Amino acid sequence: MLTEGLTRLGDVWVDGDRTYWSEGRPAEGGRTQIVRLGPDGSRTDMLPDGFNARSGVHEYGGGAALVRDGTVWFVNFADQRLYVIRDGAPPVALTAAPDPARSVRFADLRRSPDGRWIVCVMETHGSAAATDVRNELVCLRALEPSTPTVLFSGADFVMSPQFVDESRLRWIAWDHPNMPWNETSLWEAGFDDGGLAHPRVVASGGSWMQPVGEHVVSDRTGWWNVWHVAADGSTTATAPVDAEVADPAWVFGSRHYVVTRDRVPAFSIGGDIHVGGAVTATDVASLGQWTLHADDRTVTALARYADRHPAIVRFTLDDPAAMTVLVPGAPVALDPADISIGRTIEYPSTGGRTAHGVYYSPTNHLVAAPAGSSPPLIVMIHGGPTSQAGSSFDLDVQFWTTRGFAVVDVNYGGSSGFGREVRGELDGQWGVVDVDDCCAAAEWLAHQGLADADRLAIRGGSAGGFTVLAALAFRDVFAVGASLYGIADLSALAEETHKFESRYTDRLIGPWPEARSVYEERSPIHHVDGFDRPLIVFQGLDDMVVPPNQAEMIVAALRDKGVECEYHPYEGEGHGFRKAETIQHALEHELAFYQRVLGLG
């Protein structure tokens, strides 16, 4: 059920009377296809066999395709070249094959209003070192092969090129040690015949992202809200609200709002749709990838729900509640009585802070728990760490709750979704605040009778895997843990990870290498004496974000100590698992591990 027939809906485009979307397919090795929905309801796969629309810029990618006037542009994952498909003909490469392969990558594609140019982000790898990578804004011919022309260079990173009109281009840029949710700048320049004139910063101070026309998202009030920024740099908050309109820019191509011709922004917060100050409640948990139609009132977007898979929906800004499902999500082969609906919780943590999470009770209509018992609990930890656990439907969660586990998905201090102040709680405190909040969640739920204090498990991937290892090394709360491509040695991470995150830990831990002692103090690999609980580890061998040596070193150290440690490496998988066989294998073995260690039979 987790993989067969399941597709992962992504980007959404509207092109006249046709709708396109990206679709991740675990059954095809995690390949991303571009699908077209015709006016007659017919579906057409746009990419022939052997092509996969996925960008490798920043390793996380995003923004790998674009559709306009029946033409599809996409970045092919295998070679990272930019291709175009016209009139059903085979893909034509617009960029040359780099040497070495995949050393030049593209993302965040935009077509100029006159249709002649593609403006996008280009990432050039001179070597394997993070210091030898250039990120630039470039321009190339839209319909014929050409050599990209550099439009903007010099900043460490660029993102989100956006045409304001026929002659103005805007984009986001920032420099190390910032991440895009820390400090960025909004740039503008004249655009003419494939070149820029008079590039300048029009807004800075805080995190700026997702420009749309003269609008942009900024957190200068403490929340990511929509602002209007005129050409002279004057700014106005157009839809102030004490909530986050957008998510952190981990990937390219996110679209969390639209702006009508009369400059009215429309966006969602949870399932509530905001249009010009009016708020309409809907049955969705969240909406993303907003696309405004030519009529200026119709929106097509990706909807997530609490009880079913995501779907592509359509609605008008005049009546957002009258939402039509355009592309339904994959069927959910669960009895509705077996679906656990998440509920948000708040609980006390260290330093008088309030931490947050989403709690799912074990749910299976065929089974009744023994009277007076409490369920085993899995504490899930999101990655990032600047990310967020939401309450939308996730089969990974349901996998556990249908089998008798309670689950809490923790939004520890440093998570997004709660404003800039909460995002900053992890600054200098990674490995402390996140561990405190995860332990506090487990202990608080056990105290409430919602979890068995003797059967507490903790699992997480990437940065969440680091928190798993730190919780097991430094605390005695959990009976077992699972690390998915987690970080064991922060010093090695600082020296070996990719460019995008190579200075991330400067803010989370301290400047590298000046704060080396703090890195060692927080690194689980240097504190294996504190490990005495079983651990299962999963790792993609092609991971460039958290290299396999991170998993291998903690596994070797624990086995040398005599701690039970099960290890599963996967060929052909990177940072996050995409293949059906990997997803199934990992969950089956994790479940069996918990059942044995926790004595669940």
Side-chain angles (χ1 to χ4, degrees):
M1 193 185 303
L2 281 158
T3 56
E4 292 181 5
L6 181 64
T7 58
R8 305 181 190 280
L9 302 179
D11 292 335
V12 178
W13 304 270
V14 174
D15 187 39
D17 60 358
R18 290 169 170 80
T19 301
Y20 296 74
W21 66 92
S22 63
E23 191 173 277
R25 297 177 174 175
E28 297 180 19
R31 174 194 185 204
T32 299
Q33 175 65 268
I34 306 297
V35 185
R36 180 182 68 201
L37 180 70
D40 60 354
S42 61
R43 296 190 185 191
T44 304
D45 286 354
M46 302 304 296
L47 307 187
D49 290 345
F51 288 90
N52 178 2
R54 181 180 163 198
S55 170
V57 178
H58 293 181
E59 302 299 334
Y60 296 111
L66 172 68
V67 178
R68 182 172 160 187
D69 299 333
T71 302
V72 177
W73 292 264
F74 70 97
V75 179
N76 186 42
F77 183 66
D79 56 15
Q80 288 299 293
R81 299 169 71 187
L82 183 60
Y83 288 79
V84 64
I85 296 176
R86 302 180 69 192
D87 304 321
V92 173
L94 296 179
T95 57
D99 185 19
R102 305 182 86 252
S103 60
V104 180
R105 309 173 184 183
F106 300 90
D108 241 3
L109 317 177
R110 298 290 186 277
R111 192 180 185 187
S112 61
D114 64 11
R116 298 170 57 202
W117 307 98
I118 292 292
V119 174
C120 60
V121 174
M122 183 174 76
E123 182 176 88
T124 305
H125 294 246
S127 68
T131 55
D132 196 14
V133 177
R134 296 195 315 276
N135 293 77
E136 300 165 308
L137 196 66
V138 301
C139 180
L140 62 154
R141 298 282 182 181
L143 299 174
E144 61 189 54
S146 63
T147 301
T149 299
V150 175
L151 299 177
F152 176 80
S153 188
D156 288 326
F157 300 98
V158 291
M159 178 176 273
S160 305
Q162 178 73 41
F163 285 92
V164 180
D165 52 38
E166 290 77 2
S167 61
R168 294 162 63 199
L169 181 72
R170 284 185 170 180
W171 65 94
I172 303 295
W174 71 97
D175 293 308
H176 280 316
N178 291 310
M179 299 297 285
W181 43 86
N182 300 137
E183 298 287 334
T184 64
S185 297
L186 175 67
W187 286 72
E188 180 177 313
F191 182 86
D192 181 46
D193 199 29
L196 293 187
H198 310 297
R200 63 197 183 280
V201 174
V202 291
S204 60
S207 170
W208 300 81
M209 59 184 181
Q210 296 188 34
V212 175
E214 286 194 334
H215 284 77
V216 64
V217 172
S218 172
D219 68 349
R220 58 167 43 187
T221 61
W223 298 94
W224 273 319
N225 280 192
V226 181
W227 289 69
H228 177 261
V229 180
D232 62 4
S234 58
T235 58
T236 306
T238 57
V241 59
D242 287 345
E244 304 279 43
V245 170
D247 298 332
W250 276 103
V251 297
F252 295 93
S254 295
R255 303 189 303 273
H256 286 97
Y257 71 107
V258 293
V259 180
T260 63
R261 281 190 288 269
D262 55 0
R263 293 186 175 182
V264 174
F267 53 87
S268 67
I269 298 173
D272 295 336
I273 297 178
H274 296 241
V275 184
V279 182
T280 303
T282 70
D283 67 344
V284 304
S286 65
L287 282 167
Q289 299 310 107
W290 290 57
T291 299
L292 185 63
H293 295 217
D295 66 9
D296 202 46
R297 303 304 295 171
T298 304
V299 172
T300 298
L302 178 65
R304 300 184 186 279
Y305 303 88
D307 60 352
R308 57 193 185 275
H309 290 301
I312 297 173
V313 299
R314 184 163 289 170
F315 58 92
T316 70
L317 298 179
D318 301 310
D319 187 10
M323 195 172 286
T324 300
V325 175
L326 191 67
V327 180
V332 177
L334 283 175
D335 188 303
D338 290 340
I339 296 175
S340 182
I341 304 298
R343 64 179 178 91
T344 57
I345 60 171
E346 296 182 352
Y347 57 92
S349 190
T350 55
R353 294 179 304 105
T354 297
H356 307 264
V358 183
Y359 177 79
Y360 300 84
S361 61
T363 306
N364 189 317
H365 78 283
L366 299 176
V367 180
S373 67
S374 297
L377 174 73
I378 297 177
V379 175
M380 287 189 174
I381 313 163
H382 64 68
T386 309
S387 188
Q388 181 184 7
S391 57
S392 56
F393 181 77
D394 187 343
L395 271 182
D396 286 351
V397 172
Q398 305 299 320
F399 178 84
W400 301 110
T401 55
T402 54
R403 285 160 172 77
F405 292 87
V407 171
V408 62
D409 212 348
V410 176
N411 279 313
Y412 48 81
S415 299
S416 57
F418 303 92
R420 188 178 181 96
E421 183 177 348
V422 172
R423 288 204 311 273
E425 288 181 356
L426 209 59
D427 290 354
Q429 296 298 308
W430 192 27
V432 179
V433 165
D434 50 321
V435 174
D436 285 347
D437 290 357
C438 290
C439 291
E443 293 173 328
W444 183 80
L445 288 168
H447 182 71
Q448 302 296 313
L450 297 173
D452 183 343
D454 295 324
R455 289 173 169 171
L456 303 175
I458 183 169
R459 75 185 301 267
S462 190
F466 164 71
T467 304
V468 168
L469 299 178
L472 295 177
F474 300 115
R475 309 293 174 85
D476 294 318
V477 173
F478 299 99
V480 63
S483 171
L484 294 85
Y485 35 90
I487 301 156
D489 188 340
L490 292 168
S491 299
L493 180 75
E495 293 180 330
E496 298 172 359
T497 195
H498 60 139
K499 178 187 176 183
F500 180 59
E501 295 181 84
S502 61
R503 299 289 300 279
Y504 193 12
T505 53
D506 281 27
R507 185 180 296 266
L508 298 173
I509 303 291
W512 174 262
E514 294 83 356
R516 182 186 296 272
S517 61
V518 183
Y519 282 70
E520 294 178 354
E521 177 186 324
R522 304 268 179 88
S523 294
I525 193 63
H526 297 302
H527 300 276
V528 292
D529 286 348
F531 270 93
D532 58 7
R533 310 296 165 87
L535 175 71
I536 188 168
V537 177
F538 304 93
Q539 177 70 45
L541 295 179
D542 293 344
D543 196 337
M544 299 298 293
V545 178
V546 179
N549 68 326
Q550 291 278 346
E552 292 160 0
M553 68 174 75
I554 195 67
V555 169
L558 293 180
R559 286 177 175 173
D560 286 347
K561 190 190 174 196
V563 175
E564 182 178 0
C565 187
E566 190 173 306
Y567 179 43
H568 297 279
Y570 298 104
E571 294 279 359
E573 293 283 12
H575 198 64
F577 302 149
R578 294 172 177 266
K579 298 179 181 180
E581 58 268 28
T582 303
I583 295 168
Q584 293 178 17
H585 182 276
L587 279 172
E588 287 169 355
H589 283 76
E590 187 178 350
L591 172 62
F593 193 75
Y594 292 159
Q595 288 174 325
R596 181 170 51 78
V597 170
L598 297 177
L600 299 175

